[in-house]
């Protein structure tokens, strides 16, 4: 039987909270980040660095809970705080406010998803 590494309760809570707030898939986030990085006239090819902090979010999404580093946990906590803050400062136009929506999408949160309001 394979040995399972136990994680502490706070790490489990952070993991769950991160995955509640980051409500897009890895593929959706990667596509969004590549679109943002390419601009209108740039070419984005293999090996292109993804914009941050989205690239860091994508790296965390690609890991299993037991493989997280302290840096990953720091990224997760910062992203949860940033998304929470943006949601608390929802502009009057809501998701129609392009700058606000893009800021959330850069972090892996799509406010247009049906479950977007359940994050908090």
């Amino acid at each position: 039987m394979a040995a399972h590494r136990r994680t502490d309760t706070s790490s489990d809570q952070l993991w769950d909270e991160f995955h509640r707030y980051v409500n897009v898939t890895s593929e959706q986030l990667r596509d969004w980040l590549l679109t943002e990085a390419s601009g209108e006239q740039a070419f984005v090819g293999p090996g292109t660095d993804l914009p941050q902090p989205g690239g860091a979010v994508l790296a965390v999404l690609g890991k299993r809970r037991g493989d997280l580093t302290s840096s990953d946990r720091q990224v997760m906590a910062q992203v949860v705080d940033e998304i929470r803050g943006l949601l608390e400062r929802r502009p009057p136009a809501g998701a129609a406010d392009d700058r606000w929506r893009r800021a959330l999408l850069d972090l892996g949160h799509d406010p247009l998803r049906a479950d977007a309001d359940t994050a908090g």
Side-chain angles (χ1 to χ4, degrees):
M1 183 178 339
H4 294 282
R5 289 172 39 187
R6 277 186 83 72
T7 56
D8 62 72
T9 304
S10 63
S11 291
D12 288 343
Q13 289 172 343
L14 178 59
W15 175 269
D16 293 341
E17 193 172 31
F18 176 80
H19 283 88
R20 249 190 344 267
Y21 279 99
V22 176
N23 66 357
V24 299
T25 66
S26 297
E27 183 178 336
Q28 290 167 328
L29 180 56
R30 182 180 300 106
D31 289 349
W32 169 256
L33 295 172
L34 288 172
T35 300
E36 286 296 290
S38 69
E40 289 187 23
Q41 299 188 18
F43 172 75
V44 178
T48 300
D49 288 331
L50 295 173
Q52 296 302 322
V57 172
L58 194 57
V60 170
L61 287 174
K63 292 189 175 189
R64 295 177 303 191
R65 187 183 316 222
D67 294 335
L68 296 174
T69 65
S70 60
S71 294
D72 294 331
R73 285 187 287 280
Q74 184 176 10
V75 166
M76 292 168 67
Q78 288 174 339
V79 166
V80 166
D81 287 345
E82 286 185 51
I83 293 173
R84 184 183 294 132
L86 285 164
L87 292 174
E88 288 172 357
R89 295 184 308 277
R90 183 182 188 93
D97 184 306
D98 194 51
R99 185 171 16 182
W100 180 77
R101 182 169 182 261
R102 286 175 177 270
L104 284 166
L105 286 169
D106 288 346
L107 296 167
H109 181 86
D110 186 352
L112 295 178
R113 285 187 50 139
D115 63 347
D117 288 335
T118 63

